[in-house]
Amino acid sequence: MRIGELSRLSGVTVPTIKYYLREGLLPSGERTSPNQAQYGEVHLQRLKLVRAMLDVGKLSVTAAREVLAAIDSPGSALHGVLGVAQSAITPRVAASDDDNWKAAEDLVTGLVAEKGWHVKPTNPAWQAVIQIMATSRDLGQDDLAALLGDYADAAERLAAAELAAIGRRSDVDSQVESAVLGTVLGDPLMAAVRQLAREDASYRSMVGEA
Amino acid sequence: MRIGELSRLSGVTVPTIKYYLREGLLPSGERTSPNQAQYGEVHLQRLKLVRAMLDVGKLSVTAAREVLAAIDSPGSALHGVLGVAQSAITPRVAASDDDNWKAAEDLVTGLVAEKGWHVKPTNPAWQAVIQIMATSRDLGQDDLAALLGDYADAAERLAAAELAAIGRRSDVDSQVESAVLGTVLGDPLMAAVRQLAREDASYRSMVGEA
DNA sequence: CACGAATAGATAGTGCAGCTATCGATATCA
DNA sequence: TGATATCGATAGCTGCACTATCTATTCGTG
């Protein structure tokens, strides 16, 4: 198919598709002449994936490019791709050195030790958790600290369930794509489901109090 | 204190503080003359809260303003404020009407019914979940659908724990602030903790396979 | 009480991200 | 054969979150 049909089928405008081509989010089609190219099912799928990452996953174009590169890298072993995908979607946060930060650091280190998690110190999520705990403490709200264990339990269970689901897929390529999608779509899904659960919990407590 | 000290104590530049004043994220100080105002502890706390919402919670200025308005509204009952805060942080997503969307809609409706959740159909999180399920289906990945129940369980447990923590606070104002912070900081926290858990799970499965 | 630094409020400008518009040289198709 | 589509390049647009500058005050220290 030509770019126009790709646009129709995907709902993405032609200029935007061109933009994605320039940005390396989409491989160029097969050349049939200097200014004609053919696109196939692969391109349509990839385009949908790109839109999912940008729209639903809220990734930046740069982060999406990194994730795609990881997916496409030749010897894409599951563990490695996951690491790259996770790095790409975690915003980097600079460490601080005030007391609050140090206390938060200890808190998180303690959690990981307690859970027996095997996590490399280079994982940017580490700093992200610390930042959030330090912020909550700075705001005089140590409630989050008390809940950290609950968050960890929930995360642990989910990770296990996800990995089990991925393991049920046969070929490695499919596993990789599934894992990446779980990583990219998982966060917004959790956020949205949490809101439903919270509304219910809040409702229950209100009724219970009455 | 004057605006300069507020800036020093908070680490936010004076022009940015002025911007927040203009945008209604920060109440103006007490006038002492036409071009002088005094700020207090309240302003410092509010400023920290604003930075937390923007930096850590990734809220837009508009969303932050809505959340603050809800906090400040006179008869701010917990349930109501939570609803507003949640609405403010959930990106609106337009419904579609293709088959994928309808299937996803049924899936989510089924989940909520099964869990017995009491959720208003106006909750934007509803559409958000549907969009994600429809997207995942469109990409040929129904793994997420299989995991939806696990997400819901995790969300339910967390919501209960959070509400219990909030209930332990004495005054209503403190409860409201705690709840809002849990809502705003909870999502990024969950996302980051999930990444730690995933790295551990991924590592375990790799070692187990060896 | 003089004078340099700070402040309020207003208006305009900056930088970045993610597109969008236009153009000229081809290519396709009714 | 002429209307429409495509390619690649370059420039422009929009929204957001600031940031800079300016004027008329006011503070605060010598």
Side-chain angles (χ1 to χ4, degrees):
Chain A
M1 72 186 95
R2 305 204 297 173
I3 201 172
E5 196 178 355
L6 186 59
S7 167
R8 267 199 322 98
L9 292 179
S10 63
V12 180
T13 67
V14 170
T16 299
I17 293 176
K18 287 186 177 183
Y19 169 66
Y20 291 161
L21 288 167
R22 285 199 301 280
E23 292 295 323
L25 298 184
L26 202 59
S28 26
E30 294 246 315
R31 277 287 118 66
T32 63
S33 69
N35 71 338
Q36 289 295 301
Q38 285 292 314
Y39 303 88
E41 194 59 29
V42 180
H43 296 89
L44 182 55
Q45 282 303 112
R46 174 55 58 101
L47 190 49
K48 282 181 181 176
L49 177 57
V50 168
R51 293 307 310 186
M53 291 196 290
L54 300 188
D55 275 7
V56 184
K58 305 289 177 199
L59 295 207
S60 68
V61 165
T62 306
R65 184 169 37 228
E66 284 169 21
V67 172
L68 291 172
I71 290 180
D72 294 337
S73 68
S76 64
L78 190 54
H79 187 69
V81 174
L82 271 187
V84 174
Q86 297 199 20
S87 282
I89 69 176
T90 312
R92 298 304 153 98
V93 22
S96 165
D97 61 350
D98 58 16
D99 290 350
N100 252 336
W101 192 274
K102 287 204 170 55
E105 220 159 22
D106 291 345
L107 185 66
V108 178
T109 308
L111 173 80
V112 172
E114 188 194 323
K115 299 243 86 178
W117 282 351
H118 190 283
V119 183
K120 285 195 219 118
T122 55
N123 191 326
W126 195 279
Q127 297 298 316
V129 178
I130 293 172
Q131 184 202 23
I132 295 168
M133 298 318 300
T135 301
S136 123
R137 185 177 256 264
D138 192 34
L139 287 163
Q141 300 278 340
D142 35 9
D143 293 15
L144 267 192
L147 290 171
L148 189 52
D150 293 303
Y151 276 87
D153 288 345
E156 196 169 41
R157 260 192 284 260
L158 268 182
E162 281 180 356
L163 215 58
I166 290 170
R168 283 194 287 279
R169 295 198 156 243
S170 44
D171 60 308
V172 176
D173 278 2
S174 167
Q175 287 188 342
V176 166
E177 200 175 318
S178 176
V180 168
L181 268 181
T183 307
V184 170
L185 299 188
D187 286 346
L189 177 58
M190 185 70 208
V193 172
R194 256 157 63 78
Q195 298 222 19
L196 296 180
R198 265 194 298 244
E199 179 174 339
D200 175 66
S202 169
Y203 172 79
R204 270 179 216 284
S205 80
M206 204 178 57
V207 170
E209 277 168 9
Chain B
M1 73 185 91
R2 306 204 300 173
I3 201 172
E5 195 178 354
L6 186 60
S7 168
R8 268 198 321 99
L9 291 179
S10 63
V12 179
T13 67
V14 170
T16 300
I17 294 176
K18 286 186 178 181
Y19 168 66
Y20 291 162
L21 287 168
R22 285 199 300 280
E23 292 296 322
L25 297 185
L26 202 59
S28 26
E30 292 247 315
R31 277 290 120 65
T32 63
S33 69
N35 72 334
Q36 290 294 300
Q38 285 292 315
Y39 303 89
E41 193 58 29
V42 180
H43 297 89
L44 182 55
Q45 280 304 112
R46 174 55 57 98
L47 189 48
K48 283 181 181 175
L49 177 58
V50 167
R51 293 307 311 184
M53 291 196 291
L54 300 188
D55 276 7
V56 184
K58 305 291 177 196
L59 295 206
S60 67
V61 165
T62 306
R65 184 169 37 228
E66 285 169 20
V67 172
L68 291 172
I71 291 180
D72 294 336
S73 68
S76 62
L78 191 54
H79 188 69
V81 174
L82 271 187
V84 174
Q86 297 199 21
S87 283
I89 69 175
T90 312
R92 297 304 153 96
V93 21
S96 165
D97 60 350
D98 57 16
D99 290 349
N100 252 335
W101 192 275
K102 286 202 171 55
E105 221 159 19
D106 290 346
L107 185 66
V108 178
T109 308
L111 173 80
V112 171
E114 188 194 322
K115 299 242 84 176
W117 282 352
H118 190 282
V119 183
K120 285 195 218 119
T122 55
N123 191 326
W126 195 280
Q127 296 298 315
V129 178
I130 292 172
Q131 183 201 24
I132 294 168
M133 298 319 299
T135 302
S136 124
R137 185 176 254 266
D138 191 33
L139 288 164
Q141 300 277 340
D142 36 10
D143 293 14
L144 267 192
L147 290 170
L148 189 53
D150 294 301
Y151 276 87
D153 288 343
E156 195 168 41
R157 259 192 284 259
L158 268 183
E162 281 180 354
L163 216 59
I166 290 170
R168 283 194 287 277
R169 296 201 154 240
S170 46
D171 59 308
V172 175
D173 278 1
S174 167
Q175 287 188 342
V176 166
E177 199 173 320
S178 178
V180 167
L181 269 181
T183 308
V184 170
L185 299 187
D187 286 345
L189 177 58
M190 185 70 208
V193 172
R194 256 157 63 80
Q195 297 223 19
L196 296 181
R198 267 195 298 244
E199 179 176 337
D200 175 67
S202 168
Y203 171 80
R204 270 179 216 284
S205 80
M206 206 178 57
V207 170
E209 277 168 9

